[in-house]
Amino acid sequence: MTEPLVHPLALIAEVTHRCPLHCVYCSNPLELKNRADELPIDVWSRVFQEAATAGVLQADLTGGEPLARPDIIDLVRAARSAGLYVSLITSGMPLDEARLANLVEAGLDHLQLSFQGAHEETANEISGTKAHAQKLRVLEWLKKVRVAVTLNFVIHRRNIDQLEEMLQLAESSSATRVEFANVQYYGWAFANREHLLPTRAQLDHSLEILKQAEERLRGKIRVEFVVPDYYAKYPKACMGGWGRKLMLITPSGDALPCHAAQIIPNLRFDNVRDHSLRDIWETSDAFQQFRGADWMQEPCKTCDRRTQDFGGCRCQALLLAGDPAATDPVCSLSPNRPKVDTILASLNSSSHLAHPNSSPLLVGAQHAAPHLGNQTTPQEPRPAWLYRPNPA
């Protein structure tokens, strides 16, 4: 049965893949777009106008690092002029006080600042560069401007023991929301999964800390946290369901239902250079492919949860089951759930815990990070990370 199509609520604008950081869990694809492929400001301005006309309420300017675009202030102004609520998702590099003030003056409503940890050593290791001190400076500058602030901490095995210090950092800032998002395993994170997945003991302890913080900070700071998919009983509704709430535009203009959709073979993605946003949303093959429930296999097809999680993540199904139409393997009802259980059993085995970095999972060619000095401890050697490169 085909359900009525509603308009998208948010537009995720990946304005560039360029980034000064090399994060080992980056959600960008393994094949990154160069600067020459990026949409110019006039096309983005039209896209923002079309998004507002189509019913979109919010534009999330992200990347890569959106601040890598010299015209980012013009992009913010264009999105705000279209009547959209404008959010900037940033690492805080490159940024200074004057540029921040100009962004706010141009109409920036919200800024989400990402952190790789509470400790500089860990943060620099994960990002492949020295960025933590700059983020702390940005936190101080944000106290002086009128803009909503969210702090985002991406959680994994190397920093999950720093939650209390992360919370202290949030409490000392002007943030009204702090998000603890466990790594989602696609893109660069899938390549580095062996070193990023937390143990069951780490996860259980982290949930105790975050639930207490949620209660303690209620009314002051909104604390949000996302459990790793692999440990969940049921999958999340990825992106609110395929083609149901969100549309992502890549730096080169391809319109996607989710961040990683381009890994799915035989999907054709329309480009905003050639098609209007409304036409793409309503008629494009890619958005139609997994929209609704007609495509579902069992057990999803007859499951009572099919209108709650919509079968889970299509990209995760491809990566773990080899079939993008399969039930998300993290679901306890999936016939492929044993594959996830095997991964977790290996991770949580006594032999693995005794040698936490003994068997790296690397996909593709390995990229070395810039030299950061001695960033390891004798207790836990630094993993052989696959670092995200920075496109030209």
Side-chain angles (χ1 to χ4, degrees):
M1 181 177 66
T2 303
E3 56 186 279
L5 180 64
V6 297
H7 60 74
L9 298 178
L11 180 75
I12 302 172
E14 285 187 345
V15 296
T16 183
H17 277 162
R18 288 174 289 143
C19 184
L21 276 62
H22 309 275
C23 296
V24 298
Y25 50 66
C26 181
S27 63
N28 286 161
L30 298 184
E31 296 183 7
L32 301 167
K33 296 295 184 182
N34 294 324
R35 180 173 184 169
D37 298 320
E38 294 173 3
L39 294 177
I41 180 69
D42 61 313
V43 176
W44 276 117
S45 297
R46 172 177 61 79
V47 167
F48 294 144
Q49 292 289 342
E50 290 179 354
T53 301
V56 170
L57 302 176
Q58 176 170 326
D60 296 327
L61 306 187
T62 182
E65 171 50 65
L67 293 174
R69 285 195 58 139
D71 59 355
I72 185 60
I73 293 171
D74 294 329
L75 286 167
V76 168
R77 185 176 291 111
R80 197 69 187 89
S81 297
L84 300 173
Y85 180 91
V86 185
S87 177
L88 185 71
I89 301 173
T90 177
S91 67
M93 297 176 64
L95 187 65
D96 56 31
E97 279 194 89
R99 199 179 192 199
L100 175 60
N102 289 336
L103 286 165
V104 174
E105 184 180 0
L108 185 66
D109 295 293
H110 172 263
L111 187 145
Q112 177 177 298
L113 184 63
S114 65
F115 277 84
Q116 285 69 43
H119 300 167
E120 183 169 10
E121 181 178 354
T122 305
N124 291 347
E125 174 192 336
I126 296 301
S127 66
T129 190
K130 295 182 178 180
H132 190 69
Q134 166 67 6
K135 293 171 184 289
L136 297 180
R137 286 191 287 270
V138 174
L139 273 188
E140 292 303 309
W141 300 336
L142 286 168
K143 295 177 182 179
K144 304 175 186 178
V145 295
R146 292 180 62 85
V147 67
V149 177
T150 293
L151 301 191
N152 174 265
F153 294 93
V154 180
I155 306 302
H156 47 81
R157 189 160 82 244
R158 300 285 285 183
N159 69 4
I160 199 169
D161 61 338
Q162 301 171 21
L163 291 178
E164 291 176 332
E165 290 156 290
M166 294 175 188
L167 285 162
Q168 291 173 8
L169 197 60
E171 290 183 72
S172 69
S173 74
S174 60
T176 55
R177 177 174 172 265
V178 57
E179 180 180 75
F180 296 93
N182 273 275
V183 169
Q184 302 298 300
Y185 293 99
Y186 54 84
W188 298 91
F190 188 77
N192 288 298
R193 184 184 65 191
E194 181 76 12
H195 303 307
L196 292 170
L197 260 175
T199 65
R200 168 61 71 179
Q202 285 181 313
L203 176 62
D204 290 346
H205 183 58
S206 73
L207 292 179
E208 291 179 9
I209 293 173
L210 293 176
K211 287 176 181 177
Q212 291 173 6
E214 182 181 33
E215 183 62 31
R216 178 173 60 83
L217 296 174
R218 194 179 304 278
K220 299 178 181 178
I221 300 177
R222 183 177 175 183
V223 178
E224 297 183 356
F225 50 94
V226 180
V227 174
D229 283 357
Y230 285 36
Y231 283 102
K233 183 177 181 181
Y234 299 113
K236 296 189 292 292
C238 185
M239 303 291 284
W242 184 280
R244 290 179 56 84
K245 293 184 178 181
L246 307 174
M247 175 183 284
L248 181 145
I249 308 300
T250 70
S252 60
D254 287 341
L256 313 181
C258 75
H259 293 83
Q262 286 177 312
I263 71 170
I264 299 176
N266 304 318
L267 277 188
R268 181 178 62 84
F269 299 98
D270 290 335
N271 194 286
V272 296
R273 296 178 190 266
D274 308 312
H275 303 272
S276 73
L277 231 60
R278 184 182 294 277
D279 285 345
I280 294 172
W281 181 257
E282 294 179 352
T283 67
S284 72
D285 293 341
F287 279 80
Q288 298 286 349
Q289 184 70 33
F290 300 111
R291 186 180 269 159
D294 292 344
W295 60 272
M296 290 182 179
Q297 302 175 6
E298 293 291 357
C300 289
K301 184 177 288 290
T302 56
C303 180
D304 290 341
R305 295 183 55 86
R306 67 185 180 278
T307 57
Q308 299 177 47
D309 57 39
F310 308 102
C313 178
R314 298 301 87 225
C315 301
Q316 195 153 252
L318 174 66
L319 291 169
L320 294 176
D323 180 1
T327 298
D328 190 331
V330 305
C331 181
S332 58
L333 302 176
S334 168
N336 291 296
R337 176 67 204 194
K339 295 183 179 182
V340 178
D341 292 335
T342 298
I343 294 169
L344 295 180
S346 175
L347 169 67
N348 289 285
S349 68
S350 57
S351 61
H352 189 106
L353 294 177
H355 305 282
N357 300 299
S358 59
S359 54
L361 171 66
L362 298 182
V363 177
Q366 187 164 345
H367 301 276
H371 179 66
L372 298 176
N374 181 12
Q375 301 288 340
T376 62
T377 65
Q379 292 78 18
E380 187 171 0
R382 179 171 172 169
W385 295 114
L386 181 69
Y387 282 96
R388 174 203 191 278
N390 189 10

